[in-house]
Short mmCIF file of all heavy atoms in Angstrom, two decimals:
data_model
loop_
_atom_site.label_atom_id
_atom_site.label_comp_id
_atom_site.label_asym_id
_atom_site.label_seq_id
_atom_site.Cartn_x
_atom_site.Cartn_y
_atom_site.Cartn_z
N MET D 7 0.79 18.40 7.46
CA MET D 7 -0.10 17.42 6.86
C MET D 7 -0.71 17.97 5.58
O MET D 7 -1.10 19.11 5.51
CB MET D 7 -1.24 17.08 7.81
CG MET D 7 -0.94 16.06 8.85
SD MET D 7 -0.70 14.43 8.16
CE MET D 7 -0.38 13.57 9.65
N VAL D 8 -0.82 17.11 4.60
CA VAL D 8 -1.50 17.42 3.36
C VAL D 8 -2.86 16.74 3.41
O VAL D 8 -2.95 15.56 3.75
CB VAL D 8 -0.70 16.89 2.15
CG1 VAL D 8 -1.44 17.13 0.86
CG2 VAL D 8 0.68 17.50 2.11
N GLN D 9 -3.91 17.50 3.10
CA GLN D 9 -5.24 16.92 3.06
C GLN D 9 -5.80 17.01 1.66
O GLN D 9 -5.41 17.88 0.88
CB GLN D 9 -6.18 17.64 4.04
CG GLN D 9 -5.80 17.41 5.48
CD GLN D 9 -6.87 17.91 6.44
OE1 GLN D 9 -7.83 18.55 6.04
NE2 GLN D 9 -6.70 17.59 7.70
N ALA D 10 -6.72 16.10 1.34
CA ALA D 10 -7.33 16.09 0.02
C ALA D 10 -8.72 15.48 0.09
O ALA D 10 -9.02 14.70 0.99
CB ALA D 10 -6.47 15.29 -0.96
N TYR D 11 -9.53 15.87 -0.87
CA TYR D 11 -10.80 15.20 -1.10
C TYR D 11 -10.57 14.23 -2.25
O TYR D 11 -9.94 14.59 -3.25
CB TYR D 11 -11.90 16.20 -1.48
CG TYR D 11 -12.33 17.04 -0.31
CD1 TYR D 11 -11.80 18.31 -0.12
CD2 TYR D 11 -13.27 16.57 0.61
CE1 TYR D 11 -12.19 19.09 0.96
CE2 TYR D 11 -13.65 17.34 1.69
CZ TYR D 11 -13.12 18.60 1.86
OH TYR D 11 -13.49 19.36 2.92
N ILE D 12 -11.06 13.02 -2.11
CA ILE D 12 -10.95 12.03 -3.17
C ILE D 12 -12.38 11.74 -3.62
O ILE D 12 -13.21 11.25 -2.84
CB ILE D 12 -10.26 10.74 -2.67
CG1 ILE D 12 -8.91 11.08 -2.05
CG2 ILE D 12 -10.11 9.75 -3.83
CD1 ILE D 12 -8.31 9.94 -1.23
N LEU D 13 -12.67 12.07 -4.87
CA LEU D 13 -13.99 11.86 -5.44
C LEU D 13 -13.96 10.52 -6.17
O LEU D 13 -13.07 10.27 -6.99
CB LEU D 13 -14.32 12.99 -6.40
CG LEU D 13 -14.12 14.41 -5.85
CD1 LEU D 13 -14.41 15.45 -6.92
CD2 LEU D 13 -14.95 14.65 -4.62
N ILE D 14 -14.92 9.66 -5.87
CA ILE D 14 -14.87 8.28 -6.35
C ILE D 14 -16.15 7.92 -7.09
O ILE D 14 -17.25 8.18 -6.59
CB ILE D 14 -14.67 7.32 -5.17
CG1 ILE D 14 -13.34 7.64 -4.45
CG2 ILE D 14 -14.71 5.87 -5.63
CD1 ILE D 14 -13.14 6.88 -3.16
N GLN D 15 -15.97 7.30 -8.25
CA GLN D 15 -17.08 6.69 -8.97
C GLN D 15 -16.98 5.18 -8.75
O GLN D 15 -15.88 4.62 -8.77
CB GLN D 15 -17.03 7.03 -10.45
CG GLN D 15 -17.28 8.50 -10.71
CD GLN D 15 -17.16 8.87 -12.18
OE1 GLN D 15 -16.50 8.20 -12.95
NE2 GLN D 15 -17.81 9.95 -12.55
N THR D 16 -18.14 4.55 -8.55
CA THR D 16 -18.15 3.11 -8.28
C THR D 16 -19.05 2.39 -9.28
O THR D 16 -19.83 3.02 -10.01
CB THR D 16 -18.68 2.81 -6.86
OG1 THR D 16 -20.08 3.12 -6.80
CG2 THR D 16 -17.93 3.59 -5.80
N GLU D 17 -18.96 1.08 -9.25
CA GLU D 17 -19.92 0.27 -9.99
C GLU D 17 -21.29 0.47 -9.35
O GLU D 17 -21.40 0.82 -8.17
CB GLU D 17 -19.52 -1.20 -9.91
CG GLU D 17 -18.20 -1.52 -10.57
CD GLU D 17 -17.73 -2.94 -10.31
OE1 GLU D 17 -18.48 -3.73 -9.70
OE2 GLU D 17 -16.60 -3.25 -10.71
N VAL D 18 -22.34 0.26 -10.13
CA VAL D 18 -23.71 0.45 -9.64
C VAL D 18 -23.95 -0.41 -8.40
O VAL D 18 -23.62 -1.60 -8.38
CB VAL D 18 -24.72 0.09 -10.75
CG1 VAL D 18 -26.15 0.15 -10.22
CG2 VAL D 18 -24.56 1.02 -11.94
N GLY D 19 -24.49 0.24 -7.36
CA GLY D 19 -24.84 -0.47 -6.15
C GLY D 19 -23.70 -0.73 -5.18
O GLY D 19 -23.90 -1.39 -4.16
N LYS D 20 -22.50 -0.22 -5.46
CA LYS D 20 -21.34 -0.52 -4.61
C LYS D 20 -20.91 0.65 -3.72
O LYS D 20 -19.97 0.52 -2.95
CB LYS D 20 -20.14 -0.91 -5.48
CG LYS D 20 -20.35 -2.12 -6.35
CD LYS D 20 -19.94 -3.37 -5.62
CE LYS D 20 -20.08 -4.57 -6.52
NZ LYS D 20 -18.96 -5.46 -6.47
N ALA D 21 -21.57 1.79 -3.78
CA ALA D 21 -21.11 2.98 -3.07
C ALA D 21 -20.99 2.77 -1.56
O ALA D 21 -19.98 3.11 -0.96
CB ALA D 21 -22.03 4.17 -3.37
N SER D 22 -22.01 2.20 -0.94
CA SER D 22 -21.97 2.01 0.51
C SER D 22 -20.85 1.08 0.94
O SER D 22 -20.14 1.35 1.91
CB SER D 22 -23.31 1.46 1.02
OG SER D 22 -24.31 2.43 0.88
N ALA D 23 -20.67 -0.01 0.21
CA ALA D 23 -19.61 -0.97 0.54
C ALA D 23 -18.24 -0.35 0.35
O ALA D 23 -17.34 -0.54 1.18
CB ALA D 23 -19.75 -2.23 -0.31
N VAL D 24 -18.07 0.42 -0.72
CA VAL D 24 -16.79 1.09 -0.98
C VAL D 24 -16.49 2.09 0.14
O VAL D 24 -15.38 2.13 0.67
CB VAL D 24 -16.79 1.77 -2.36
CG1 VAL D 24 -15.63 2.74 -2.52
CG2 VAL D 24 -16.76 0.72 -3.47
N ALA D 25 -17.47 2.91 0.51
CA ALA D 25 -17.26 3.90 1.57
C ALA D 25 -16.89 3.22 2.89
O ALA D 25 -16.02 3.70 3.61
CB ALA D 25 -18.52 4.76 1.74
N GLU D 26 -17.53 2.11 3.19
CA GLU D 26 -17.24 1.39 4.44
C GLU D 26 -15.80 0.87 4.46
O GLU D 26 -15.10 1.02 5.45
CB GLU D 26 -18.22 0.25 4.62
CG GLU D 26 -18.05 -0.47 5.93
CD GLU D 26 -19.08 -1.58 6.12
OE1 GLU D 26 -20.16 -1.52 5.51
OE2 GLU D 26 -18.79 -2.50 6.91
N VAL D 27 -15.36 0.27 3.38
CA VAL D 27 -13.99 -0.26 3.31
C VAL D 27 -12.98 0.87 3.38
O VAL D 27 -12.00 0.79 4.12
CB VAL D 27 -13.80 -1.10 2.02
CG1 VAL D 27 -12.34 -1.47 1.83
CG2 VAL D 27 -14.66 -2.35 2.07
N ILE D 28 -13.21 1.93 2.62
CA ILE D 28 -12.26 3.05 2.59
C ILE D 28 -12.16 3.74 3.94
O ILE D 28 -11.09 4.21 4.32
CB ILE D 28 -12.63 4.03 1.47
CG1 ILE D 28 -12.34 3.38 0.11
CG2 ILE D 28 -11.85 5.35 1.60
CD1 ILE D 28 -12.74 4.21 -1.07
N SER D 29 -13.27 3.81 4.67
CA SER D 29 -13.25 4.51 5.96
C SER D 29 -12.27 3.87 6.95
O SER D 29 -11.84 4.51 7.90
CB SER D 29 -14.65 4.55 6.57
OG SER D 29 -15.06 3.27 6.97
N LYS D 30 -11.88 2.62 6.70
CA LYS D 30 -10.96 1.91 7.59
C LYS D 30 -9.49 2.06 7.18
O LYS D 30 -8.61 1.56 7.88
CB LYS D 30 -11.35 0.43 7.64
CG LYS D 30 -12.74 0.23 8.21
CD LYS D 30 -13.20 -1.20 8.13
CE LYS D 30 -14.63 -1.29 8.65
NZ LYS D 30 -15.26 -2.55 8.33
N ILE D 31 -9.22 2.73 6.08
CA ILE D 31 -7.84 2.92 5.62
C ILE D 31 -7.16 3.98 6.47
O ILE D 31 -7.75 5.05 6.73
CB ILE D 31 -7.81 3.32 4.12
CG1 ILE D 31 -8.33 2.16 3.26
CG2 ILE D 31 -6.41 3.73 3.69
CD1 ILE D 31 -8.50 2.50 1.78
N ASP D 32 -5.94 3.71 6.89
CA ASP D 32 -5.17 4.67 7.69
C ASP D 32 -4.97 5.95 6.89
O ASP D 32 -4.55 5.91 5.73
CB ASP D 32 -3.81 4.05 8.06
CG ASP D 32 -3.06 4.90 9.07
OD1 ASP D 32 -3.71 5.44 9.99
OD2 ASP D 32 -1.83 5.03 8.92
N GLY D 33 -5.31 7.08 7.49
CA GLY D 33 -5.18 8.37 6.83
C GLY D 33 -6.50 8.92 6.32
O GLY D 33 -6.59 10.09 5.96
N VAL D 34 -7.52 8.09 6.29
CA VAL D 34 -8.84 8.54 5.86
C VAL D 34 -9.55 9.17 7.06
O VAL D 34 -9.69 8.55 8.11
CB VAL D 34 -9.67 7.39 5.27
CG1 VAL D 34 -11.12 7.80 5.06
CG2 VAL D 34 -9.05 6.91 3.97
N ILE D 35 -9.96 10.40 6.89
CA ILE D 35 -10.66 11.14 7.94
C ILE D 35 -12.15 10.83 7.89
O ILE D 35 -12.80 10.64 8.92
CB ILE D 35 -10.43 12.66 7.79
CG1 ILE D 35 -8.93 12.98 7.92
CG2 ILE D 35 -11.25 13.44 8.80
CD1 ILE D 35 -8.57 14.38 7.48
N GLN D 36 -12.69 10.79 6.67
CA GLN D 36 -14.12 10.58 6.50
C GLN D 36 -14.38 10.01 5.11
O GLN D 36 -13.71 10.39 4.15
CB GLN D 36 -14.85 11.93 6.65
CG GLN D 36 -16.33 11.85 6.73
CD GLN D 36 -16.94 13.20 7.09
OE1 GLN D 36 -16.30 14.24 6.93
NE2 GLN D 36 -18.16 13.20 7.55
N ALA D 37 -15.34 9.11 5.00
CA ALA D 37 -15.76 8.56 3.71
C ALA D 37 -17.28 8.44 3.73
O ALA D 37 -17.84 7.80 4.61
CB ALA D 37 -15.12 7.19 3.48
N GLU D 38 -17.92 9.09 2.77
CA GLU D 38 -19.38 9.08 2.73
C GLU D 38 -19.87 8.79 1.32
O GLU D 38 -19.31 9.28 0.35
CB GLU D 38 -19.94 10.43 3.18
CG GLU D 38 -19.62 10.75 4.63
CD GLU D 38 -20.27 12.03 5.10
OE1 GLU D 38 -19.94 13.09 4.56
OE2 GLU D 38 -21.12 11.92 6.00
N ASP D 39 -20.95 8.01 1.23
CA ASP D 39 -21.56 7.83 -0.07
C ASP D 39 -22.53 8.99 -0.30
O ASP D 39 -23.19 9.46 0.62
CB ASP D 39 -22.23 6.45 -0.21
CG ASP D 39 -23.02 5.99 1.00
OD1 ASP D 39 -22.57 6.24 2.12
OD2 ASP D 39 -24.08 5.38 0.81
N VAL D 40 -22.54 9.48 -1.52
CA VAL D 40 -23.29 10.68 -1.89
C VAL D 40 -24.03 10.44 -3.20
O VAL D 40 -23.83 9.42 -3.87
CB VAL D 40 -22.35 11.90 -2.03
CG1 VAL D 40 -21.69 12.25 -0.71
CG2 VAL D 40 -21.30 11.68 -3.11
N THR D 41 -24.86 11.40 -3.59
CA THR D 41 -25.51 11.34 -4.89
C THR D 41 -24.86 12.36 -5.81
O THR D 41 -24.18 13.28 -5.35
CB THR D 41 -27.02 11.64 -4.79
OG1 THR D 41 -27.19 12.95 -4.26
CG2 THR D 41 -27.72 10.63 -3.89
N GLY D 42 -25.06 12.21 -7.10
CA GLY D 42 -24.49 13.13 -8.07
C GLY D 42 -23.52 12.40 -8.98
O GLY D 42 -23.56 11.17 -9.10
N PRO D 43 -22.60 13.13 -9.60
CA PRO D 43 -21.68 12.50 -10.55
C PRO D 43 -20.67 11.57 -9.88
O PRO D 43 -20.09 10.70 -10.53
CB PRO D 43 -20.98 13.67 -11.23
CG PRO D 43 -21.15 14.82 -10.31
CD PRO D 43 -22.43 14.58 -9.56
N TYR D 44 -20.46 11.73 -8.58
CA TYR D 44 -19.57 10.84 -7.82
C TYR D 44 -20.41 10.08 -6.81
O TYR D 44 -21.46 10.55 -6.38
CB TYR D 44 -18.45 11.64 -7.15
CG TYR D 44 -17.53 12.25 -8.18
CD1 TYR D 44 -17.72 13.55 -8.61
CD2 TYR D 44 -16.50 11.50 -8.75
CE1 TYR D 44 -16.90 14.09 -9.59
CE2 TYR D 44 -15.68 12.04 -9.72
CZ TYR D 44 -15.89 13.33 -10.14
OH TYR D 44 -15.09 13.85 -11.12
N ASP D 45 -19.93 8.91 -6.45
CA ASP D 45 -20.69 8.03 -5.55
C ASP D 45 -20.19 8.06 -4.11
O ASP D 45 -20.94 7.81 -3.19
CB ASP D 45 -20.64 6.60 -6.08
CG ASP D 45 -21.16 6.52 -7.50
OD1 ASP D 45 -22.31 6.95 -7.73
OD2 ASP D 45 -20.43 6.04 -8.39
N VAL D 46 -18.89 8.35 -3.95
CA VAL D 46 -18.28 8.42 -2.62
C VAL D 46 -17.34 9.61 -2.59
O VAL D 46 -16.61 9.85 -3.57
CB VAL D 46 -17.49 7.12 -2.30
CG1 VAL D 46 -16.78 7.22 -0.95
CG2 VAL D 46 -18.40 5.90 -2.33
N ILE D 47 -17.36 10.36 -1.51
CA ILE D 47 -16.40 11.44 -1.30
C ILE D 47 -15.63 11.13 -0.02
O ILE D 47 -16.22 10.84 1.02
CB ILE D 47 -17.06 12.82 -1.21
CG1 ILE D 47 -17.76 13.14 -2.54
CG2 ILE D 47 -16.03 13.89 -0.88
CD1 ILE D 47 -18.47 14.47 -2.57
N VAL D 48 -14.31 11.20 -0.14
CA VAL D 48 -13.41 10.86 0.97
C VAL D 48 -12.58 12.08 1.31
O VAL D 48 -12.12 12.79 0.42
CB VAL D 48 -12.48 9.69 0.55
CG1 VAL D 48 -11.45 9.41 1.63
CG2 VAL D 48 -13.29 8.46 0.23
N ARG D 49 -12.38 12.32 2.60
CA ARG D 49 -11.39 13.31 3.04
C ARG D 49 -10.26 12.52 3.67
O ARG D 49 -10.49 11.70 4.57
CB ARG D 49 -11.99 14.29 4.04
CG ARG D 49 -10.95 15.35 4.42
CD ARG D 49 -11.56 16.65 4.82
NE ARG D 49 -10.50 17.59 5.14
CZ ARG D 49 -10.58 18.87 4.96
NH1 ARG D 49 -11.66 19.38 4.43
NH2 ARG D 49 -9.59 19.67 5.28
N ALA D 50 -9.05 12.77 3.19
CA ALA D 50 -7.89 12.00 3.65
C ALA D 50 -6.73 12.94 3.94
O ALA D 50 -6.71 14.08 3.47
CB ALA D 50 -7.49 10.98 2.59
N GLN D 51 -5.76 12.43 4.69
CA GLN D 51 -4.57 13.22 4.99
C GLN D 51 -3.35 12.32 5.03
O GLN D 51 -3.46 11.12 5.28
CB GLN D 51 -4.70 13.97 6.30
CG GLN D 51 -4.77 13.10 7.53
CD GLN D 51 -4.93 13.93 8.80
OE1 GLN D 51 -5.23 15.11 8.75
NE2 GLN D 51 -4.74 13.29 9.93
N ALA D 52 -2.21 12.93 4.76
CA ALA D 52 -0.92 12.24 4.80
C ALA D 52 0.16 13.28 5.07
O ALA D 52 -0.06 14.47 4.84
CB ALA D 52 -0.65 11.52 3.49
N PRO D 53 1.32 12.85 5.55
CA PRO D 53 2.39 13.81 5.86
C PRO D 53 2.90 14.59 4.64
O PRO D 53 3.27 15.74 4.76
CB PRO D 53 3.50 12.94 6.45
CG PRO D 53 2.79 11.72 6.96
CD PRO D 53 1.64 11.51 6.03
N THR D 54 2.91 13.96 3.45
CA THR D 54 3.41 14.63 2.25
C THR D 54 2.49 14.32 1.07
O THR D 54 1.71 13.37 1.11
CB THR D 54 4.84 14.16 1.88
OG1 THR D 54 4.76 12.78 1.48
CG2 THR D 54 5.81 14.33 3.03
N VAL D 55 2.63 15.10 0.00
CA VAL D 55 1.87 14.85 -1.22
C VAL D 55 2.22 13.47 -1.79
O VAL D 55 1.34 12.75 -2.26
CB VAL D 55 2.13 15.96 -2.26
CG1 VAL D 55 1.50 15.61 -3.60
CG2 VAL D 55 1.61 17.30 -1.78
N ASP D 56 3.50 13.11 -1.75
CA ASP D 56 3.90 11.80 -2.26
C ASP D 56 3.24 10.67 -1.49
O ASP D 56 2.76 9.70 -2.08
CB ASP D 56 5.43 11.64 -2.20
CG ASP D 56 6.14 12.50 -3.23
OD1 ASP D 56 5.48 12.93 -4.21
OD2 ASP D 56 7.35 12.74 -3.05
N GLU D 57 3.19 10.78 -0.17
CA GLU D 57 2.55 9.73 0.63
C GLU D 57 1.04 9.70 0.39
O GLU D 57 0.44 8.63 0.38
CB GLU D 57 2.87 9.92 2.11
CG GLU D 57 4.32 9.60 2.42
CD GLU D 57 4.65 9.68 3.90
OE1 GLU D 57 3.88 9.11 4.71
OE2 GLU D 57 5.66 10.32 4.23
N LEU D 58 0.44 10.85 0.18
CA LEU D 58 -0.97 10.90 -0.16
C LEU D 58 -1.21 10.18 -1.48
O LEU D 58 -2.13 9.35 -1.60
CB LEU D 58 -1.45 12.35 -0.26
CG LEU D 58 -2.92 12.54 -0.59
CD1 LEU D 58 -3.81 12.04 0.53
CD2 LEU D 58 -3.21 13.99 -0.91
N GLY D 59 -0.38 10.44 -2.46
CA GLY D 59 -0.49 9.76 -3.75
C GLY D 59 -0.32 8.26 -3.63
O GLY D 59 -1.07 7.49 -4.26
N ARG D 60 0.64 7.84 -2.82
CA ARG D 60 0.84 6.40 -2.61
C ARG D 60 -0.39 5.76 -1.96
O ARG D 60 -0.79 4.65 -2.29
CB ARG D 60 2.09 6.14 -1.77
CG ARG D 60 3.38 6.23 -2.60
CD ARG D 60 4.57 5.69 -1.83
NE ARG D 60 5.01 6.59 -0.76
CZ ARG D 60 5.81 7.63 -0.94
NH1 ARG D 60 6.26 7.92 -2.14
NH2 ARG D 60 6.16 8.38 0.08
N MET D 61 -0.99 6.48 -1.00
CA MET D 61 -2.18 5.95 -0.34
C MET D 61 -3.31 5.78 -1.35
O MET D 61 -3.99 4.74 -1.37
CB MET D 61 -2.64 6.87 0.79
CG MET D 61 -3.92 6.40 1.45
SD MET D 61 -4.54 7.46 2.76
CE MET D 61 -4.88 8.95 1.89
N VAL D 62 -3.51 6.77 -2.21
CA VAL D 62 -4.58 6.69 -3.19
C VAL D 62 -4.34 5.52 -4.15
O VAL D 62 -5.23 4.72 -4.40
CB VAL D 62 -4.73 8.02 -3.97
CG1 VAL D 62 -5.70 7.87 -5.13
CG2 VAL D 62 -5.19 9.14 -3.03
N VAL D 63 -3.14 5.41 -4.68
CA VAL D 63 -2.85 4.38 -5.67
C VAL D 63 -2.78 2.98 -5.05
O VAL D 63 -3.34 2.02 -5.58
CB VAL D 63 -1.54 4.70 -6.42
CG1 VAL D 63 -1.12 3.55 -7.31
CG2 VAL D 63 -1.71 5.98 -7.24
N ALA D 64 -2.11 2.85 -3.91
CA ALA D 64 -1.87 1.53 -3.32
C ALA D 64 -3.02 1.02 -2.47
O ALA D 64 -3.17 -0.20 -2.30
CB ALA D 64 -0.59 1.55 -2.49
N LYS D 65 -3.82 1.91 -1.92
CA LYS D 65 -4.88 1.47 -1.01
C LYS D 65 -6.28 1.79 -1.53
O LYS D 65 -7.10 0.90 -1.67
CB LYS D 65 -4.66 2.07 0.38
CG LYS D 65 -3.38 1.58 1.03
CD LYS D 65 -3.19 2.19 2.40
CE LYS D 65 -1.88 1.71 3.01
NZ LYS D 65 -1.60 2.38 4.28
N VAL D 66 -6.54 3.05 -1.79
CA VAL D 66 -7.90 3.45 -2.18
C VAL D 66 -8.29 2.83 -3.52
O VAL D 66 -9.34 2.21 -3.64
CB VAL D 66 -8.03 4.99 -2.23
CG1 VAL D 66 -9.38 5.41 -2.79
CG2 VAL D 66 -7.83 5.59 -0.83
N GLN D 67 -7.45 2.98 -4.53
CA GLN D 67 -7.82 2.49 -5.86
C GLN D 67 -7.89 0.96 -5.95
O GLN D 67 -8.43 0.43 -6.91
CB GLN D 67 -6.85 3.02 -6.92
CG GLN D 67 -7.01 4.51 -7.17
CD GLN D 67 -6.08 5.04 -8.23
OE1 GLN D 67 -5.16 4.36 -8.67
NE2 GLN D 67 -6.31 6.26 -8.65
N GLN D 68 -7.39 0.29 -4.95
CA GLN D 68 -7.42 -1.18 -4.94
C GLN D 68 -8.73 -1.74 -4.37
O GLN D 68 -8.96 -2.94 -4.43
CB GLN D 68 -6.23 -1.73 -4.15
CG GLN D 68 -4.88 -1.32 -4.71
CD GLN D 68 -4.72 -1.67 -6.18
OE1 GLN D 68 -5.00 -2.79 -6.59
NE2 GLN D 68 -4.29 -0.72 -6.97
N VAL D 69 -9.57 -0.87 -3.84
CA VAL D 69 -10.84 -1.33 -3.25
C VAL D 69 -11.76 -1.82 -4.37
O VAL D 69 -11.95 -1.14 -5.39
CB VAL D 69 -11.51 -0.19 -2.45
CG1 VAL D 69 -12.91 -0.59 -1.98
CG2 VAL D 69 -10.65 0.20 -1.26
N ASP D 70 -12.32 -2.99 -4.17
CA ASP D 70 -13.21 -3.59 -5.16
C ASP D 70 -14.45 -2.72 -5.38
O ASP D 70 -15.06 -2.26 -4.42
CB ASP D 70 -13.63 -4.99 -4.68
CG ASP D 70 -14.43 -5.73 -5.73
OD1 ASP D 70 -14.00 -5.74 -6.90
OD2 ASP D 70 -15.48 -6.29 -5.38
N GLY D 71 -14.79 -2.49 -6.63
CA GLY D 71 -15.99 -1.73 -6.98
C GLY D 71 -15.72 -0.31 -7.44
O GLY D 71 -16.62 0.35 -7.94
N ILE D 72 -14.48 0.17 -7.30
CA ILE D 72 -14.14 1.52 -7.75
C ILE D 72 -13.84 1.51 -9.24
O ILE D 72 -13.09 0.66 -9.72
CB ILE D 72 -12.94 2.08 -6.96
CG1 ILE D 72 -13.34 2.33 -5.50
CG2 ILE D 72 -12.42 3.36 -7.59
CD1 ILE D 72 -12.22 2.83 -4.63
N THR D 73 -14.41 2.47 -9.95
CA THR D 73 -14.13 2.58 -11.39
C THR D 73 -13.25 3.77 -11.72
O THR D 73 -12.54 3.75 -12.73
CB THR D 73 -15.43 2.67 -12.20
OG1 THR D 73 -16.19 3.80 -11.76
CG2 THR D 73 -16.26 1.40 -12.05
N ARG D 74 -13.29 4.83 -10.89
CA ARG D 74 -12.49 6.03 -11.17
C ARG D 74 -12.35 6.87 -9.91
O ARG D 74 -13.26 6.93 -9.09
CB ARG D 74 -13.18 6.86 -12.25
CG ARG D 74 -12.50 8.20 -12.54
CD ARG D 74 -13.13 8.87 -13.70
NE ARG D 74 -12.70 8.12 -14.88
CZ ARG D 74 -12.78 8.56 -16.11
NH1 ARG D 74 -13.31 9.73 -16.36
NH2 ARG D 74 -12.35 7.85 -17.12
N THR D 75 -11.18 7.51 -9.77
CA THR D 75 -10.96 8.45 -8.65
C THR D 75 -10.44 9.77 -9.19
O THR D 75 -9.81 9.83 -10.24
CB THR D 75 -9.96 7.91 -7.61
OG1 THR D 75 -8.67 7.80 -8.22
CG2 THR D 75 -10.38 6.57 -7.05
N LEU D 76 -10.72 10.83 -8.43
CA LEU D 76 -10.19 12.16 -8.72
C LEU D 76 -9.75 12.75 -7.39
O LEU D 76 -10.57 12.93 -6.49
CB LEU D 76 -11.25 13.04 -9.37
CG LEU D 76 -10.88 14.51 -9.60
CD1 LEU D 76 -9.75 14.61 -10.63
CD2 LEU D 76 -12.09 15.28 -10.07
N THR D 77 -8.45 13.01 -7.24
CA THR D 77 -7.91 13.53 -5.98
C THR D 77 -7.75 15.04 -6.07
O THR D 77 -7.12 15.54 -7.00
CB THR D 77 -6.56 12.86 -5.67
OG1 THR D 77 -6.74 11.44 -5.63
CG2 THR D 77 -6.01 13.34 -4.33
N CYS D 78 -8.32 15.74 -5.09
CA CYS D 78 -8.31 17.20 -5.07
C CYS D 78 -7.62 17.66 -3.78
O CYS D 78 -8.26 17.71 -2.71
CB CYS D 78 -9.74 17.75 -5.11
SG CYS D 78 -10.71 17.19 -6.50
N PRO D 79 -6.33 18.02 -3.85
CA PRO D 79 -5.63 18.47 -2.64
C PRO D 79 -6.22 19.78 -2.12
O PRO D 79 -6.63 20.65 -2.91
CB PRO D 79 -4.19 18.68 -3.11
CG PRO D 79 -4.06 17.86 -4.36
CD PRO D 79 -5.44 17.89 -4.99
N VAL D 80 -6.27 19.90 -0.82
CA VAL D 80 -6.75 21.13 -0.17
C VAL D 80 -5.61 22.14 -0.16
O VAL D 80 -4.49 21.79 0.20
CB VAL D 80 -7.21 20.83 1.27
CG1 VAL D 80 -7.58 22.12 1.99
CG2 VAL D 80 -8.39 19.86 1.26
N VAL D 81 -5.90 23.37 -0.58
CA VAL D 81 -4.90 24.43 -0.55
C VAL D 81 -5.39 25.56 0.34
O VAL D 81 -6.58 25.77 0.50
CB VAL D 81 -4.59 24.98 -1.97
CG1 VAL D 81 -3.97 23.92 -2.84
CG2 VAL D 81 -5.83 25.55 -2.62
N HIS D 82 -4.46 26.26 0.91
CA HIS D 82 -4.80 27.41 1.77
C HIS D 82 -4.19 28.65 1.13
O HIS D 82 -2.98 28.87 1.21
CB HIS D 82 -4.27 27.20 3.19
CG HIS D 82 -4.82 25.96 3.82
ND1 HIS D 82 -6.10 25.89 4.33
CD2 HIS D 82 -4.29 24.73 3.98
CE1 HIS D 82 -6.31 24.67 4.78
NE2 HIS D 82 -5.22 23.95 4.58
N ILE D 83 -5.01 29.44 0.46
CA ILE D 83 -4.54 30.62 -0.28
C ILE D 83 -4.69 31.87 0.56
O ILE D 83 -5.64 32.06 1.23
CB ILE D 83 -5.30 30.76 -1.60
CG1 ILE D 83 -5.08 29.50 -2.42
CG2 ILE D 83 -4.89 32.00 -2.35
CD1 ILE D 83 -5.86 29.43 -3.71
#
């Protein structure tokens, strides 16, 4: 399994709604609204990097209220 943190910026006032919708996407482990430069942080997993990318583009980025995402794959060094 490949895991990643997805850092999300949202429109003003949409963080909670975005986190709630994203938490229901298959492969999402956790979605929380936070303070700081990002509004929602998501931990997600998929069998491959390609499938993780497809999930981000086809599902996560399609959620209403998202303005930008940054995907950070977890590495084990």
Side-chain angles (χ1 to χ4, degrees):
M7 277 291 180
V8 177
Q9 292 191 352
Y11 289 97
I12 306 166
L13 310 177
I14 300 172
Q15 292 177 336
T16 69
E17 296 172 6
V18 174
K20 300 270 183 135
S22 292
V24 167
E26 184 177 336
V27 171
I28 289 176
S29 69
K30 297 174 184 167
I31 294 173
D32 189 40
V34 170
I35 299 167
Q36 190 171 19
E38 296 185 296
D39 42 322
V40 297
T41 60
Y44 294 95
D45 303 304
V46 177
I47 297 179
V48 174
R49 182 152 181 149
Q51 66 181 13
T54 67
V55 172
D56 289 340
E57 289 184 48
L58 180 67
R60 280 192 287 276
M61 177 182 63
V62 171
V63 172
K65 296 180 181 175
V66 173
Q67 290 181 349
Q68 300 306 311
V69 173
D70 186 47
I72 291 178
T73 58
R74 175 174 286 197
T75 65
L76 174 66
T77 303
C78 304
V80 174
V81 297
H82 302 283
I83 301 175

